[in-house]
PDB file of all heavy atoms in Angstrom:
ATOM      1  N   SER B  84      46.595 106.714  59.547  1.00  0.00           N
ATOM      2  CA  SER B  84      45.971 105.779  60.515  1.00  0.00           C
ATOM      3  C   SER B  84      46.642 105.667  61.861  1.00  0.00           C
ATOM      4  O   SER B  84      46.113 105.020  62.775  1.00  0.00           O
ATOM      5  CB  SER B  84      45.851 104.415  59.868  1.00  0.00           C
ATOM      6  OG  SER B  84      47.048 103.924  59.553  1.00  0.00           O
ATOM      7  N   ASP B  85      47.863 106.250  61.984  1.00  0.00           N
ATOM      8  CA  ASP B  85      48.550 106.251  63.230  1.00  0.00           C
ATOM      9  C   ASP B  85      48.041 107.301  64.254  1.00  0.00           C
ATOM     10  O   ASP B  85      48.436 107.304  65.406  1.00  0.00           O
ATOM     11  CB  ASP B  85      50.056 106.450  63.048  1.00  0.00           C
ATOM     12  CG  ASP B  85      50.703 105.248  62.322  1.00  0.00           C
ATOM     13  OD1 ASP B  85      50.244 104.103  62.582  1.00  0.00           O
ATOM     14  OD2 ASP B  85      51.597 105.501  61.523  1.00  0.00           O
ATOM     15  N   SER B  86      47.169 108.236  63.747  1.00  0.00           N
ATOM     16  CA  SER B  86      46.602 109.214  64.647  1.00  0.00           C
ATOM     17  C   SER B  86      45.873 108.498  65.801  1.00  0.00           C
ATOM     18  O   SER B  86      45.168 107.480  65.613  1.00  0.00           O
ATOM     19  CB  SER B  86      45.638 110.129  63.877  1.00  0.00           C
ATOM     20  OG  SER B  86      46.341 110.885  62.909  1.00  0.00           O
ATOM     21  N   GLY B  87      45.990 109.126  67.002  1.00  0.00           N
ATOM     22  CA  GLY B  87      45.255 108.620  68.184  1.00  0.00           C
ATOM     23  C   GLY B  87      45.847 109.099  69.452  1.00  0.00           C
ATOM     24  O   GLY B  87      46.731 109.904  69.454  1.00  0.00           O
ATOM     25  N   PHE B  88      45.316 108.475  70.489  1.00  0.00           N
ATOM     26  CA  PHE B  88      45.769 108.786  71.848  1.00  0.00           C
ATOM     27  C   PHE B  88      46.546 107.617  72.312  1.00  0.00           C
ATOM     28  O   PHE B  88      46.065 106.531  72.490  1.00  0.00           O
ATOM     29  CB  PHE B  88      44.492 109.035  72.697  1.00  0.00           C
ATOM     30  CG  PHE B  88      44.772 109.634  74.063  1.00  0.00           C
ATOM     31  CD1 PHE B  88      45.640 110.663  74.242  1.00  0.00           C
ATOM     32  CD2 PHE B  88      44.106 109.128  75.144  1.00  0.00           C
ATOM     33  CE1 PHE B  88      45.881 111.254  75.515  1.00  0.00           C
ATOM     34  CE2 PHE B  88      44.286 109.745  76.426  1.00  0.00           C
ATOM     35  CZ  PHE B  88      45.200 110.758  76.555  1.00  0.00           C
ATOM     36  N   TYR B  89      47.853 107.848  72.600  1.00  0.00           N
ATOM     37  CA  TYR B  89      48.743 106.752  72.964  1.00  0.00           C
ATOM     38  C   TYR B  89      48.976 106.807  74.484  1.00  0.00           C
ATOM     39  O   TYR B  89      49.314 107.849  75.030  1.00  0.00           O
ATOM     40  CB  TYR B  89      50.145 106.920  72.248  1.00  0.00           C
ATOM     41  CG  TYR B  89      49.989 106.593  70.747  1.00  0.00           C
ATOM     42  CD1 TYR B  89      49.532 107.477  69.832  1.00  0.00           C
ATOM     43  CD2 TYR B  89      50.366 105.299  70.289  1.00  0.00           C
ATOM     44  CE1 TYR B  89      49.353 107.214  68.499  1.00  0.00           C
ATOM     45  CE2 TYR B  89      50.203 104.993  68.933  1.00  0.00           C
ATOM     46  CZ  TYR B  89      49.722 105.909  68.102  1.00  0.00           C
ATOM     47  OH  TYR B  89      49.593 105.632  66.752  1.00  0.00           O
ATOM     48  N   LEU B  90      48.800 105.644  75.059  1.00  0.00           N
ATOM     49  CA  LEU B  90      48.901 105.587  76.519  1.00  0.00           C
ATOM     50  C   LEU B  90      49.930 104.564  76.946  1.00  0.00           C
ATOM     51  O   LEU B  90      49.960 103.410  76.458  1.00  0.00           O
ATOM     52  CB  LEU B  90      47.532 105.115  77.089  1.00  0.00           C
ATOM     53  CG  LEU B  90      46.437 106.169  77.010  1.00  0.00           C
ATOM     54  CD1 LEU B  90      45.050 105.532  77.003  1.00  0.00           C
ATOM     55  CD2 LEU B  90      46.536 107.172  78.166  1.00  0.00           C
ATOM     56  N   CYS B  91      50.816 104.980  77.791  1.00  0.00           N
ATOM     57  CA  CYS B  91      51.822 104.135  78.346  1.00  0.00           C
ATOM     58  C   CYS B  91      51.284 103.657  79.717  1.00  0.00           C
ATOM     59  O   CYS B  91      50.639 104.458  80.433  1.00  0.00           O
ATOM     60  CB  CYS B  91      53.140 104.808  78.450  1.00  0.00           C
ATOM     61  SG  CYS B  91      54.478 103.792  79.148  1.00  0.00           S
ATOM     62  N   ALA B  92      51.582 102.456  80.148  1.00  0.00           N
ATOM     63  CA  ALA B  92      51.135 101.953  81.390  1.00  0.00           C
ATOM     64  C   ALA B  92      52.160 101.006  82.008  1.00  0.00           C
ATOM     65  O   ALA B  92      52.945 100.414  81.262  1.00  0.00           O
ATOM     66  CB  ALA B  92      49.738 101.243  81.288  1.00  0.00           C
ATOM     67  N   PHE B  93      52.095 100.842  83.315  1.00  0.00           N
ATOM     68  CA  PHE B  93      52.936  99.854  84.005  1.00  0.00           C
ATOM     69  C   PHE B  93      52.165  99.030  85.036  1.00  0.00           C
ATOM     70  O   PHE B  93      51.134  99.465  85.516  1.00  0.00           O
ATOM     71  CB  PHE B  93      54.151 100.481  84.610  1.00  0.00           C
ATOM     72  CG  PHE B  93      53.908 101.147  85.925  1.00  0.00           C
ATOM     73  CD1 PHE B  93      54.228 100.457  87.134  1.00  0.00           C
ATOM     74  CD2 PHE B  93      53.422 102.433  86.050  1.00  0.00           C
ATOM     75  CE1 PHE B  93      53.990 101.047  88.377  1.00  0.00           C
ATOM     76  CE2 PHE B  93      53.199 103.057  87.259  1.00  0.00           C
ATOM     77  CZ  PHE B  93      53.449 102.335  88.433  1.00  0.00           C
ATOM     78  N   SER B  94      52.646  97.896  85.274  1.00  0.00           N
ATOM     79  CA  SER B  94      52.138  97.046  86.390  1.00  0.00           C
ATOM     80  C   SER B  94      53.295  96.414  87.076  1.00  0.00           C
ATOM     81  O   SER B  94      54.410  96.324  86.535  1.00  0.00           O
ATOM     82  CB  SER B  94      51.181  95.983  85.897  1.00  0.00           C
ATOM     83  OG  SER B  94      51.864  94.874  85.282  1.00  0.00           O
ATOM     84  N   LYS B  95      53.046  95.961  88.294  1.00  0.00           N
ATOM     85  CA  LYS B  95      54.103  95.312  89.054  1.00  0.00           C
ATOM     86  C   LYS B  95      53.906  93.783  89.090  1.00  0.00           C
ATOM     87  O   LYS B  95      54.504  93.096  89.894  1.00  0.00           O
ATOM     88  CB  LYS B  95      54.090  95.842  90.532  1.00  0.00           C
ATOM     89  CG  LYS B  95      54.757  97.196  90.626  1.00  0.00           C
ATOM     90  CD  LYS B  95      56.272  97.044  90.215  1.00  0.00           C
ATOM     91  CE  LYS B  95      57.040  96.179  91.215  1.00  0.00           C
ATOM     92  NZ  LYS B  95      58.420  95.938  90.749  1.00  0.00           N
ATOM     93  N   GLY B  96      53.063  93.297  88.203  1.00  0.00           N
ATOM     94  CA  GLY B  96      52.885  91.883  88.166  1.00  0.00           C
ATOM     95  C   GLY B  96      51.961  91.357  89.236  1.00  0.00           C
ATOM     96  O   GLY B  96      51.385  92.105  90.005  1.00  0.00           O
ATOM     97  N   LEU B  97      51.844  90.032  89.343  1.00  0.00           N
ATOM     98  CA  LEU B  97      50.868  89.448  90.231  1.00  0.00           C
ATOM     99  C   LEU B  97      51.368  88.679  91.452  1.00  0.00           C
ATOM    100  O   LEU B  97      50.684  88.358  92.380  1.00  0.00           O
ATOM    101  CB  LEU B  97      50.024  88.460  89.521  1.00  0.00           C
ATOM    102  CG  LEU B  97      48.963  89.079  88.513  1.00  0.00           C
ATOM    103  CD1 LEU B  97      48.329  88.015  87.637  1.00  0.00           C
ATOM    104  CD2 LEU B  97      47.878  89.758  89.264  1.00  0.00           C
ATOM    105  N   VAL B  98      52.728  88.418  91.480  1.00  0.00           N
ATOM    106  CA  VAL B  98      53.288  87.603  92.563  1.00  0.00           C
ATOM    107  C   VAL B  98      53.012  88.270  93.956  1.00  0.00           C
ATOM    108  O   VAL B  98      52.525  87.557  94.817  1.00  0.00           O
ATOM    109  CB  VAL B  98      54.786  87.462  92.328  1.00  0.00           C
ATOM    110  CG1 VAL B  98      55.367  86.598  93.497  1.00  0.00           C
ATOM    111  CG2 VAL B  98      54.999  86.642  90.990  1.00  0.00           C
ATOM    112  N   THR B  99      53.362  89.521  94.047  1.00  0.00           N
ATOM    113  CA  THR B  99      53.125  90.162  95.311  1.00  0.00           C
ATOM    114  C   THR B  99      52.245  91.385  95.181  1.00  0.00           C
ATOM    115  O   THR B  99      52.128  92.209  96.133  1.00  0.00           O
ATOM    116  CB  THR B  99      54.483  90.575  95.983  1.00  0.00           C
ATOM    117  OG1 THR B  99      55.118  91.446  95.028  1.00  0.00           O
ATOM    118  CG2 THR B  99      55.287  89.359  96.272  1.00  0.00           C
ATOM    119  N   ASN B 100      51.647  91.540  94.029  1.00  0.00           N
ATOM    120  CA  ASN B 100      50.823  92.742  93.741  1.00  0.00           C
ATOM    121  C   ASN B 100      49.471  92.327  93.089  1.00  0.00           C
ATOM    122  O   ASN B 100      49.347  91.154  92.764  1.00  0.00           O
ATOM    123  CB  ASN B 100      51.603  93.694  92.881  1.00  0.00           C
ATOM    124  CG  ASN B 100      52.773  94.244  93.531  1.00  0.00           C
ATOM    125  OD1 ASN B 100      52.733  95.153  94.287  1.00  0.00           O
ATOM    126  ND2 ASN B 100      53.969  93.674  93.199  1.00  0.00           N
ATOM    127  N   THR B 101      48.629  93.345  92.887  1.00  0.00           N
ATOM    128  CA  THR B 101      47.362  93.038  92.320  1.00  0.00           C
ATOM    129  C   THR B 101      47.415  92.956  90.774  1.00  0.00           C
ATOM    130  O   THR B 101      46.444  92.583  90.136  1.00  0.00           O
ATOM    131  CB  THR B 101      46.345  94.136  92.642  1.00  0.00           C
ATOM    132  OG1 THR B 101      46.794  95.365  92.131  1.00  0.00           O
ATOM    133  CG2 THR B 101      46.204  94.240  94.150  1.00  0.00           C
ATOM    134  N   GLY B 102      48.564  93.314  90.188  1.00  0.00           N
ATOM    135  CA  GLY B 102      48.660  93.342  88.732  1.00  0.00           C
ATOM    136  C   GLY B 102      47.917  94.552  88.106  1.00  0.00           C
ATOM    137  O   GLY B 102      47.733  94.604  86.917  1.00  0.00           O
ATOM    138  N   GLU B 103      47.532  95.480  88.918  1.00  0.00           N
ATOM    139  CA  GLU B 103      46.808  96.627  88.457  1.00  0.00           C
ATOM    140  C   GLU B 103      47.682  97.455  87.476  1.00  0.00           C
ATOM    141  O   GLU B 103      48.902  97.658  87.658  1.00  0.00           O
ATOM    142  CB  GLU B 103      46.421  97.513  89.696  1.00  0.00           C
ATOM    143  CG  GLU B 103      45.577  98.688  89.374  1.00  0.00           C
ATOM    144  CD  GLU B 103      45.223  99.388  90.689  1.00  0.00           C
ATOM    145  OE1 GLU B 103      45.775  98.963  91.764  1.00  0.00           O
ATOM    146  OE2 GLU B 103      44.413 100.372  90.675  1.00  0.00           O
ATOM    147  N   LEU B 104      47.039  97.968  86.420  1.00  0.00           N
ATOM    148  CA  LEU B 104      47.703  98.848  85.460  1.00  0.00           C
ATOM    149  C   LEU B 104      47.639 100.258  85.862  1.00  0.00           C
ATOM    150  O   LEU B 104      46.510 100.736  86.246  1.00  0.00           O
ATOM    151  CB  LEU B 104      47.102  98.651  84.063  1.00  0.00           C
ATOM    152  CG  LEU B 104      47.655  97.623  83.113  1.00  0.00           C
ATOM    153  CD1 LEU B 104      46.865  97.718  81.834  1.00  0.00           C
ATOM    154  CD2 LEU B 104      49.139  97.803  82.817  1.00  0.00           C
ATOM    155  N   PHE B 105      48.750 101.019  85.822  1.00  0.00           N
ATOM    156  CA  PHE B 105      48.705 102.453  86.086  1.00  0.00           C
ATOM    157  C   PHE B 105      49.144 103.143  84.809  1.00  0.00           C
ATOM    158  O   PHE B 105      50.137 102.844  84.203  1.00  0.00           O
ATOM    159  CB  PHE B 105      49.693 102.778  87.193  1.00  0.00           C
ATOM    160  CG  PHE B 105      49.305 102.150  88.529  1.00  0.00           C
ATOM    161  CD1 PHE B 105      49.862 100.903  88.882  1.00  0.00           C
ATOM    162  CD2 PHE B 105      48.352 102.662  89.357  1.00  0.00           C
ATOM    163  CE1 PHE B 105      49.541 100.268  90.082  1.00  0.00           C
ATOM    164  CE2 PHE B 105      48.038 102.073  90.590  1.00  0.00           C
ATOM    165  CZ  PHE B 105      48.656 100.890  90.897  1.00  0.00           C
ATOM    166  N   PHE B 106      48.332 104.192  84.434  1.00  0.00           N
ATOM    167  CA  PHE B 106      48.567 104.824  83.132  1.00  0.00           C
ATOM    168  C   PHE B 106      49.207 106.176  83.253  1.00  0.00           C
ATOM    169  O   PHE B 106      49.055 106.872  84.295  1.00  0.00           O
ATOM    170  CB  PHE B 106      47.182 105.021  82.479  1.00  0.00           C
ATOM    171  CG  PHE B 106      46.618 103.755  81.881  1.00  0.00           C
ATOM    172  CD1 PHE B 106      45.834 102.938  82.630  1.00  0.00           C
ATOM    173  CD2 PHE B 106      46.877 103.462  80.543  1.00  0.00           C
ATOM    174  CE1 PHE B 106      45.366 101.724  82.093  1.00  0.00           C
ATOM    175  CE2 PHE B 106      46.371 102.269  79.992  1.00  0.00           C
ATOM    176  CZ  PHE B 106      45.604 101.437  80.773  1.00  0.00           C
ATOM    177  N   GLY B 107      50.008 106.541  82.217  1.00  0.00           N
ATOM    178  CA  GLY B 107      50.554 107.826  82.088  1.00  0.00           C
ATOM    179  C   GLY B 107      49.448 108.770  81.612  1.00  0.00           C
ATOM    180  O   GLY B 107      48.260 108.399  81.385  1.00  0.00           O
ATOM    181  N   GLU B 108      49.834 110.048  81.400  1.00  0.00           N
ATOM    182  CA  GLU B 108      48.869 111.080  81.093  1.00  0.00           C
ATOM    183  C   GLU B 108      48.384 110.960  79.580  1.00  0.00           C
ATOM    184  O   GLU B 108      47.414 111.565  79.229  1.00  0.00           O
ATOM    185  CB  GLU B 108      49.441 112.470  81.254  1.00  0.00           C
ATOM    186  CG  GLU B 108      49.983 112.654  82.706  1.00  0.00           C
ATOM    187  CD  GLU B 108      51.446 112.339  82.906  1.00  0.00           C
ATOM    188  OE1 GLU B 108      51.994 111.605  82.063  1.00  0.00           O
ATOM    189  OE2 GLU B 108      52.011 112.853  83.855  1.00  0.00           O
TER     190      GLU B 108
END
Side-chain angles (χ1 to χ4, degrees):
Chain B
S84 57
D85 291 325
S86 294
F88 191 42
Y89 288 80
L90 290 155
C91 182
F93 80 96
S94 77
K95 280 299 294 175
L97 285 170
V98 177
T99 57
N100 295 277
T101 63
E103 186 177 4
L104 269 182
F105 298 95
F106 284 87
E108 304 93 337

